[in-house]
Amino acid sequence: MYTNRKRNTSAFTFMVWASFIGAFFAMFVGIYTLEEALSVKGYYAVCALFLTMSSFVLQKVVRDNLEDGYGSRKRNTSAFTFMAWSSFSLALIGMFIGIINLEQPLSVKGYYAVTALFLTMSSFVLQKTVRDNNEDEALHVVDTAEEL
């Protein structure tokens, strides 16, 4: 039976959202202020968006695959799992190839590398937290209905 114990506190959920928004904002402020051609800024913006979205998808796929039982129907096909890993890998590699080839001081390259990693990690944690909270709420609704 569900014990009304949530996996994430409201404070933790707030911090996860604040971290994600901060990482996303930091990345795009950095891109906006980068002293490069618009095409270079566009490259970094697309890489950042690709990295963010592929992080969300990869976290979902990994968790789905771990939760699926061996005897049950899998939620994700092998092809979709491969696509999730491939797109995440390509996004991460693309971002870091761009950072390595950026003609800026090491401090600027370091800023982009750290924000890319921060954005990636905050995307993973945000997706997990939102899913946990959604599942906890669904369990709470079922538990409340059973008590009536």
Side-chain angles (χ1 to χ4, degrees):
M1 173 168 264
Y2 184 63
T3 62
N4 291 332
R5 183 172 168 229
K6 294 175 73 175
R7 289 178 271 192
N8 303 306
T9 64
S10 298
F12 181 77
T13 300
F14 172 78
M15 291 305 299
V16 167
W17 275 102
S19 294
F20 174 75
I21 291 167
F24 199 80
F25 183 73
M27 177 59 83
F28 282 92
V29 165
I31 291 169
Y32 178 76
T33 59
L34 183 62
E35 295 177 8
E36 293 288 338
L38 187 57
S39 59
V40 174
K41 290 181 179 186
Y43 171 83
Y44 289 107
V46 169
C47 279
L49 291 172
F50 185 29
L51 187 57
T52 303
M53 296 311 297
S54 64
S55 296
F56 281 118
V57 172
L58 179 61
Q59 203 285 337
K60 179 207 175 300
V61 167
V62 168
R63 185 165 171 178
D64 284 351
N65 290 347
L66 288 174
E67 288 177 351
D68 288 342
Y70 289 105
S72 66
R73 183 174 181 266
K74 300 286 186 193
R75 285 178 269 190
N76 301 302
T77 63
S78 297
F80 189 75
T81 301
F82 175 77
M83 186 201 71
W85 276 103
S86 298
S87 63
F88 174 74
S89 300
L90 287 173
L92 199 58
I93 289 168
M95 178 61 83
F96 282 96
I97 285 174
I99 291 170
I100 289 167
N101 290 310
L102 184 61
E103 294 180 9
Q104 293 289 326
L106 187 58
S107 59
V108 174
K109 291 180 178 185
Y111 172 84
Y112 289 107
V114 168
T115 27
L117 292 174
F118 183 31
L119 184 57
T120 302
M121 194 63 208
S122 65
S123 296
F124 285 146
V125 176
L126 177 61
Q127 200 282 341
K128 180 203 176 301
T129 303
V130 168
R131 185 168 171 172
D132 285 350
N133 290 348
N134 187 282
E135 288 175 355
D136 287 349
E137 189 62 34
L139 287 173
H140 179 70
V141 169
V142 169
D143 190 46
T144 305
E146 288 176 355
E147 291 176 2
L148 297 176

